[in-house]
């Protein structure tokens, strides 16, 4: 992890491995201090707090969760008494998609040789993902702490005269997607609306909505965007990711029309220049999302997580690349 100054008052803590769960956090060191997203486990959250304390010595009074995924909310409990702000959908969604007990069970299962072997026979991808997570994370002790201040479309903060705009843009990657714009400093904290130099993973929402949101990022004309995952970038980061999503959707359509399954399509579609990004086999999720749209499935159709990790595993094996999430 490292901290980088983004503008006069904005900072980011970036997880450099850039694999699944390696989410970024932000800090605006004005008006009591605002932290944006709280990391995936308590050790990472403590390290983030320690890094931010170099530029904001007291505990920040506010937290913003950009959406409901575990890797953005599991450090919330360390901000005791803070106001936690998020889109209205986030508390309910967190209970479903960020249940710490499920992850704890998986990690303990994978850490144990006999349960791992049994699980591996059925879900090799789930085991591979669990083993990767074990290298960096420990989900023990995590308790869900839900947002306390909820908003619908837009929420504004005035921090010592600096305006901060929370703009609801979901569902494009997840139901609660919110971006945080600091116009005076030309900074946007994009949450997982933007993945940089790693393959985006989208759960709930549509390509169209995601494109609209990326267009909005560009229109806001920021000098720096803090992605949910990956290094800092400018608007080129947004346009590159849009091009990737367009490419995947177009290629998926050809495979869909040829009646391939989404898994076979993901095995067949070339990574192209995006093979350089982290975890390119996560392509499967974007193909599957495209297929859901072609079939007119509801945008919130649930994911079978073990099957999804297994499919990514199979794509990596078929393409003879490292299995990475
Ligand atoms: Zn994330």
């Amino acid at each position: 992890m490292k901290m980088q100054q983004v503008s006069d008052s904005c900072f980011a803590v970036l997880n450099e491995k850039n694999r699944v769960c390696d989410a970024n956090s932000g800090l605006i060191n004005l008006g009591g201090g605002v932290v944006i997203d709280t990391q995936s486990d308590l050790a990472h959250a403590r390290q983030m707090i320690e890094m931010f304390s170099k530029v904001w010595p007291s505990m920040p009074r506010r937290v913003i969760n950009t959406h409901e995924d575990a890797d953005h909310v599991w450090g919330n409990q360390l901000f005791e008494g803070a106001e936690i702000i998020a889109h209205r959908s986030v508390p309910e969604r967190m209970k479903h998609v960020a249940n710490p007990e499920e992850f704890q069970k998986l990690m303990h299962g994978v850490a144990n040789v006999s349960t791992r072997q049994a699980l591996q026979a059925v879900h090799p991808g789930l085991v591979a993902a669990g083993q990767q997570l074990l290298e960096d994370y420990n989900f023990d002790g995590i308790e869900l702490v839900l947002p306390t201040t909820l908003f619908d479309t837009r929420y504004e903060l005035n921090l010592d005269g600096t305006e901060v705009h929370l703009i609801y843009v979901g569902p494009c990657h997840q139901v609660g997607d919110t971006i945080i714009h600091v116009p005076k400093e030309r900074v946007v904290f994009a949450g997982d609306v933007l993945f940089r130099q790693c393959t985006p993973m989208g759960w709930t929402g549509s390509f169209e909505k995601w494109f609209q949101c990326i267009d909005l990022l560009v229109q806001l004309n920021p000098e720096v965007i803090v992605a949910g995952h990956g290094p800092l970038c400018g608007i080129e980061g947004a346009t590159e990711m849009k091009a990737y999503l367009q490419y995947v959707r177009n290629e998926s359509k050809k495979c869909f029309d040829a009646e391939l399954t989404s898994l076979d399509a993901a095995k067949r579609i070339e990574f192209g220049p995006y093979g350089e990004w982290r975890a390119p086999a996560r392509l499967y999720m974007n193909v599957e999302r495209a297929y859901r749209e072609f079939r007119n499935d509801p945008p919130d159709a649930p994911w079978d997580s073990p099957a999804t990790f297994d499919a990514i595993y199979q794509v990596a094996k078929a393409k003879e690349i490292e299995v990475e999430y």
Side-chain angles (χ1 to χ4, degrees):
M1 274 171 123
K2 64 172 179 185
M3 182 173 69
Q4 256 183 280
Q5 184 157 12
V6 176
S7 65
D8 284 351
S9 323
C10 297
F11 297 80
V13 158
L14 306 168
N15 267 298
E16 293 151 295
K17 275 197 190 173
N18 207 6
R19 304 189 297 185
V20 71
C21 277
D22 292 337
N24 297 328
S25 288
L27 171 77
I28 307 169
N29 69 350
L30 295 168
V34 181
V35 161
I36 297 152
D37 288 342
T38 60
Q39 299 290 313
S40 295
D41 71 3
L42 301 179
H44 284 75
R46 287 195 183 99
Q47 206 183 335
M48 173 264 286
I49 290 168
E50 156 84 29
M51 286 181 169
F52 283 152
S53 73
K54 296 190 174 102
V55 290
W56 185 261
S58 56
M59 273 304 270
R61 290 214 329 258
R62 291 189 180 94
V63 168
I64 299 169
N65 290 145
T66 57
H67 62 288
E68 63 267 38
D69 281 344
D71 52 329
H72 301 259
V73 304
W74 273 355
N76 282 4
Q77 75 198 71
L78 299 182
F79 294 86
E80 223 187 311
E83 178 186 19
I84 304 178
I85 309 168
H87 181 254
R88 187 165 306 281
S89 61
V90 169
E92 271 311 305
R93 288 281 304 166
M94 270 171 72
K95 293 178 202 164
H96 295 291
V97 301
N99 177 354
E101 280 168 31
E102 274 174 31
F103 282 71
Q104 287 156 0
K105 217 169 96 187
L106 169 67
M107 299 290 266
H108 292 154
V110 170
N112 176 292
V113 179
S114 59
T115 47
R116 180 173 69 236
Q117 281 167 350
L119 193 58
Q120 200 145 28
V122 203
H123 288 304
L126 185 64
V127 170
Q131 283 179 305
Q132 178 187 306
L133 286 169
L134 273 177
E135 292 173 17
D136 298 307
Y137 292 100
N138 180 345
F139 301 126
D140 289 346
I142 294 168
E143 288 164 18
L144 269 196
V145 172
L146 303 178
T148 51
T149 299
L150 306 177
F151 71 97
D152 291 301
T153 54
R154 204 178 158 92
Y155 191 81
E156 297 193 359
L157 296 169
N158 187 314
L159 307 175
D160 305 329
T162 296
E163 281 185 23
V164 176
H165 302 162
L166 284 68
I167 307 166
Y168 176 61
V169 293
C172 61
H173 144 276
Q174 193 50 293
V175 178
D177 292 324
T178 295
I179 61 172
I180 295 103
H181 183 212
V182 189
K184 194 169 142 188
E185 307 204 358
R186 297 188 60 205
V187 171
V188 175
F189 295 93
D192 284 3
V193 163
L194 187 63
F195 285 68
R196 181 69 175 145
Q197 290 170 10
C198 56
T199 308
M201 301 172 89
W203 300 95
T204 309
S206 64
F207 277 84
E208 236 15 89
K209 190 89 185 166
W210 209 336
F211 295 152
Q212 283 169 20
C213 177
I214 293 171
D215 291 345
L216 174 65
L217 283 181
V218 174
Q219 271 168 33
L220 293 173
N221 193 25
E223 205 166 290
V224 185
I225 306 175
V226 182
H229 296 262
L232 301 179
C233 60
I235 55 175
E236 79 288 352
T239 49
E240 272 180 38
M241 205 188 82
K242 185 176 176 185
Y244 169 81
L245 292 175
Q246 284 172 324
Y247 166 73
V248 174
R249 190 173 66 167
N250 292 342
E251 293 301 304
S252 299
K253 186 70 170 75
K254 292 179 204 161
C255 296
F256 181 81
D257 291 343
E259 296 183 3
L260 292 182
T261 64
S262 59
L263 178 57
D264 285 338
K267 288 177 182 173
R268 179 174 299 189
I269 294 170
E270 299 283 340
F271 291 140
Y274 312 108
E276 302 287 310
W277 289 359
R278 271 280 185 198
R282 297 196 312 216
L283 166 77
Y284 165 76
M285 288 187 69
N286 299 308
V287 176
E288 170 60 19
R289 263 173 71 111
Y291 268 55
R292 288 169 175 224
E293 284 187 39
F294 303 147
R295 288 193 304 253
N296 287 316
D297 288 357
D300 60 348
W303 290 80
D304 176 342
S305 300
T308 303
F309 285 120
D310 289 346
I312 293 169
Y313 177 92
Q314 289 183 45
V315 171
K317 289 287 180 197
K319 299 223 182 222
E320 299 180 336
I321 59 166
E322 192 191 341
V323 176
E324 185 178 56
Y325 292 92

